[in-house]
Amino acid sequence: MGQHEHVRVAVIGSGFGGLGAAVRLRREGITDFVVLERADSVGGTWRDNSYPGCACDVPSHLYSFSFAPNPDWPRTFSGQQHIRAYLEHVADTFRLRSHIRLNHEVLMMHWDKDELRWEIETSKGTLTADVVVSATGPLSDPKIPEIPGLADFPGKVFHSSRWDHEYDLRGKRVAMIGTGASAIQIVPSIQPEAAKLTLFQRTPPWVLPRMDRAITGAERWLHRRLPFTGAARRGLLWGIRELQVSAFTKRPNELGLIESIAKRNMGRSIKDPVLRARLTPSYRIGCKRILLSSEYYPALAQPNVDVVASGLAEVRGSTLVAADGTETEADAIIFGTGFRVTDMPIAERVVGADGITLAEAWKDGMESLRGATAAGFPNWMTIIGPNTGLGNSSMILMIESQLNYLADYMRQLNVLGGRVALAAQPSAVHTWNRRVQERMERTVWKSGGCNSWYLDANGRNTTLWPGTTGEFRRATREVDLAEYEVVRVYAKGAEPAVGAEPAVDAEPAVGAEPAVEAVESAQSVESAKSVESAKSVESAEAVR
C-alpha cells in the first residue's frame, strides 16, 4: 500500500459488520474502498473464537445476512467452523477479496479538518479516506482481570478467544474462570479430558436448554429448491423474538415463567441440593445474558468437576485462591472473562476534529447518534456502536439496519457534492441518548438486580437496544440531515458571499489550496435530497 493512497471509504474489520459494509458499498455502486483487517483472514470474532464447543446461540437461519441466505446450514445452531466458512463464502460470492487488506492493523486515525479526510496509519503504511466505517466489533479484544500473582503462575494461561490448540488438556488440572457464554460451551467440551476441572463462578448464569439438532437433507433440499421456504423460516424465527422483546424492555415480571423452565433444566441434572443452591441465580432472568446449553449442568455434576462460588482473587505459584479463601491447585488457567465492550480499544486510536480521541470523548460513557456517528468525529461511522446490542435476537438484524444508514449516508454525501463531511450535532447525539437511557430504566437489564457486562463503569447500559429490531430499522432507514452539520472545504476565492446560500455542487479548483472550512445549514440541501437519492439508488441497481 502506497504512502499516498486515497480511497472513498475505509472499512475497519472483516467480521459480519465489515463484510456487510463492503457488500453494501458495492451494491451502492461504490467500489473505491478497502477493508483493513489486522489478522491474516476474515471472520472477526468467528475467526478468533475457536475454543472447543464454540457455537452460536442464535438459530442459523437468523444468524446470516438476508441478502446472502445459506440453505445448507448443517444444524439449527451452527458451530464456529460453519459460521466462519459462511463468512469466507460471503467474501468470495460478493467479490470482496480485492478490497480486503489482511495483516493491516489500524494503529491510529486522525481527522484532517483542512482536507476533510481521515489519515489512517496502519501496520503496513498510511492511507487517507473520505469516510471511515469502524466495524471492529465489541467482542474482539479479550479482557483478562488483573490478578495478583498471575504473572508468576508456572502453568499455561490463555483467554477463551485466544485458545492454544497446541496445549493438551488431557490429564491436567484445569481452572475455568468465568461462567459466561463461552465458559458454558467450554466446560462440557473439556470436562471428559481434564483430570480435574475447577469452575470459578462469581455469579451463576440462567441457563435454558439448547434445542439443537441436525437439519435434515430434506430441509436443506427444500431451502435450495424453494428459497422462499428459507426466508419464511427466518421470518418466523425473527417474529417470535420480536414478540419476546416487551418482557425484557417493559414488563420484566413476565419473565418468571422462563425462570421456571431454567430451574427445571438445572434440576434434571443437578441432584445435589448444595450444588443446586450454588448454581441458582438470585437476580431476574434476562438481567445478564441468558445462556443456552443442554450439556453444561450434566458436566458440572461429574465427579472430576468442582464449582467454586467465588471469583479468582490471587495466584500463589500453582495455587489459585478464590475470594472466599478456597484454594485449588491447577496446571492451566483458562479465562472466559469476556471482552472490552464498554471501553473498546479502537476508541483510543481515533482522533477527531477537536484533537481528542474517541476514548476521551467517551470517558463518561459511550454515546452516538442512532448507534452510528459520534459528535466531533465527522464522516466516521461505527457498526455495532453504542446501544445497538441485543439481549434475545440476532445481531445480524441490527447490522443490516446500520448498513441501510450507511448507504443513505453515502448518498447524502453524493448529493451534497464536493469536498464535504457530515458532523453529528452534539444536541442530536444528546437527545438520542437521553431517550435511549430513559427507556432503559424500565428494562430488566437495569431493574433485574444484577451487575452485567452490559453496564459501563458508571452503571449506564451503553450496549443494548431497549426496543425491537423493527423499531431500530425504522430509526436508521435514512439520515436526517437536520441532525448534522454539513462541513465543506472551498477553494480560495470560491467562498460563498456573506448571507448567500452555498452551492451544493461547489468543487474546489484542481490543484487549488483549500480555504478555511465552511459550515453550511443542513436545511439548505434538503430539497435536493429525494431526487438525488433516487438517482443514486438507480445507479446502484445497475451494478448489482
Side-chain angles (χ1 to χ4, degrees):
M1 183 164 57
Q3 289 292 316
H4 303 291
E5 181 181 10
H6 178 76
V7 294
R8 179 65 167 156
V9 184
V11 179
I12 317 299
S14 67
F16 268 100
L19 295 181
V23 172
R24 193 55 185 268
L25 288 171
R26 284 188 63 92
R27 286 187 150 191
E28 290 296 314
I30 300 171
T31 58
D32 183 17
F33 69 89
V34 294
V35 178
L36 302 174
E37 170 55 56
R38 67 183 177 183
D40 59 4
S41 61
V42 304
T45 193
W46 294 105
R47 174 200 59 235
D48 296 341
N49 286 271
S50 61
Y51 57 79
C54 183
C56 191
D57 58 5
V58 174
S60 303
H61 286 84
L62 194 58
Y63 200 78
S64 47
F65 291 121
S66 63
F67 54 78
N70 179 16
D72 291 312
W73 287 116
R75 303 195 66 83
T76 52
F77 292 88
S78 290
Q80 173 263 343
Q81 69 274 27
H82 300 115
I83 298 173
R84 183 178 181 184
Y86 170 77
L87 290 171
E88 295 279 1
H89 176 72
V90 167
D92 291 330
T93 300
F94 291 92
R95 297 176 294 168
L96 304 180
R97 297 290 182 183
S98 62
H99 298 279
I100 298 171
R101 309 285 176 85
L102 301 175
N103 299 306
H104 280 66
E105 180 177 6
V106 172
L107 304 177
M108 192 64 70
M109 289 180 274
H110 291 87
W111 175 249
D112 185 336
K113 60 184 179 182
D114 294 324
E115 298 291 339
L116 294 191
R117 58 180 50 168
W118 285 95
E119 182 174 307
I120 306 167
E121 180 187 354
T122 80
S123 56
K124 294 292 183 69
T126 61
L127 76 160
T128 56
D130 295 327
V131 177
V132 166
V133 179
S134 179
T136 58
L139 306 182
S140 56
D141 290 277
K143 180 173 63 176
I144 296 180
E146 295 183 5
I147 306 294
L150 180 61
D152 297 322
F153 178 68
K156 191 71 177 178
V157 178
F158 53 87
H159 190 273
S160 59
S161 67
R162 303 293 187 266
W163 195 271
D164 189 338
H165 291 278
E166 300 298 319
Y167 185 75
D168 191 352
L169 294 174
R170 287 178 295 182
K172 301 294 196 307
R173 299 168 298 178
V174 182
M176 182 77 223
I177 316 301
T179 53
S182 299
I184 71 158
Q185 295 179 344
I186 293 170
V187 166
S189 300
I190 67 174
Q191 174 270 321
E193 298 181 358
K196 177 72 174 179
L197 176 58
T198 303
L199 178 67
F200 285 77
Q201 171 194 269
R202 286 193 307 175
T203 309
W206 284 105
V207 183
L208 292 174
R210 187 168 180 260
M211 311 303 289
D212 186 30
R213 65 171 178 84
I215 297 177
T216 66
E219 289 174 281
R220 297 198 296 272
W221 178 88
L222 185 65
H223 295 331
R224 282 195 302 271
R225 296 294 297 271
L226 300 173
F228 75 87
T229 62
R233 184 174 190 161
R234 176 188 176 90
L236 178 62
L237 292 168
W238 168 78
I240 292 172
R241 281 155 180 77
E242 289 290 272
L243 293 174
Q244 297 170 348
V245 171
S246 64
F248 288 86
T249 61
K250 297 177 182 178
R251 296 182 288 273
N253 288 335
E254 294 181 357
L255 293 167
L257 175 62
I258 309 300
E259 288 184 4
S260 64
I261 296 173
K263 289 178 179 178
R264 285 200 298 271
N265 182 44
M266 182 195 305
R268 280 192 289 267
S269 301
I270 306 299
K271 305 303 181 183
D272 179 359
V274 175
L275 180 57
R276 190 182 305 172
R278 200 175 293 173
L279 296 173
T280 302
S282 60
Y283 54 88
R284 173 63 77 190
I285 193 170
C287 183
K288 293 170 72 75
R289 183 175 177 181
I290 300 175
L291 307 182
L292 303 181
S293 177
S294 299
E295 295 82 30
Y296 180 63
Y297 289 134
L300 296 185
Q302 298 305 309
N304 68 327
V305 179
D306 186 24
V307 177
V308 176
S310 184
L312 178 61
E314 185 181 358
V315 178
R316 301 171 186 162
S318 60
T319 302
L320 310 187
V321 184
D324 65 1
T326 303
E327 295 187 0
T328 301
E329 295 295 314
D331 302 306
I333 302 174
I334 303 172
F335 283 96
T337 45
F339 300 85
R340 294 181 60 182
V341 176
T342 59
D343 61 338
M344 293 186 290
I346 189 65
E348 301 167 1
R349 306 182 183 193
V350 184
V351 180
D354 298 326
I356 64 171
T357 66
L358 186 61
E360 291 171 319
W362 283 352
K363 66 180 185 301
D364 295 325
M366 298 189 299
E367 286 192 342
S368 65
L369 176 58
R370 302 181 187 272
T373 55
F377 298 83
N379 280 8
W380 181 90
M381 183 178 297
T382 181
I383 305 294
I384 314 184
N387 291 113
T388 60
L390 295 176
N392 75 314
S393 192
S394 172
M395 279 305 303
I396 312 306
L397 301 170
M398 302 296 278
I399 289 172
E400 290 198 28
S401 293
Q402 293 199 286
L403 298 184
N404 291 340
Y405 197 75
L406 168 64
D408 198 53
Y409 192 100
M410 298 306 300
R411 291 174 199 146
Q412 301 319 312
L413 291 179
N414 185 56
V415 168
L416 292 165
R419 293 166 62 180
V420 66
L422 293 177
Q425 297 269 15
S427 59
V429 175
H430 174 74
T431 298
W432 173 263
N433 283 275
R434 177 177 53 79
R435 291 172 179 169
V436 167
Q437 292 304 320
E438 286 174 353
R439 293 182 63 180
M440 195 67 71
E441 292 301 318
R442 303 168 59 187
T443 68
V444 69
W445 310 308
K446 285 299 294 286
S447 64
C450 74
N451 182 27
S452 73
W453 59 264
Y454 299 148
L455 308 180
D456 64 16
N458 298 314
R460 293 174 65 238
N461 189 327
T462 58
T463 58
L464 296 186
W465 168 244
T468 65
T469 62
E471 285 181 276
F472 189 76
R473 177 151 297 198
R474 290 189 292 273
T476 54
R477 193 179 305 278
E478 61 182 17
V479 171
D480 180 359
L481 286 180
E483 295 180 330
Y484 289 87
E485 284 184 332
V486 178
V487 186
R488 189 182 287 284
V489 168
Y490 295 93
K492 285 185 176 179
E495 298 93 330
V498 176
E501 289 191 359
V504 297
D505 60 349
E507 288 278 2
V510 177
E513 294 183 5
V516 178
E517 68 217 49
V519 178
E520 62 186 49
S521 166
Q523 283 77 7
S524 68
V525 296
E526 276 287 356
S527 60
K529 177 180 177 181
S530 57
V531 174
E532 292 298 328
S533 292
K535 290 179 180 178
S536 180
V537 173
E538 290 172 0
S539 65
E541 290 290 342
V543 299
R544 290 190 185 184

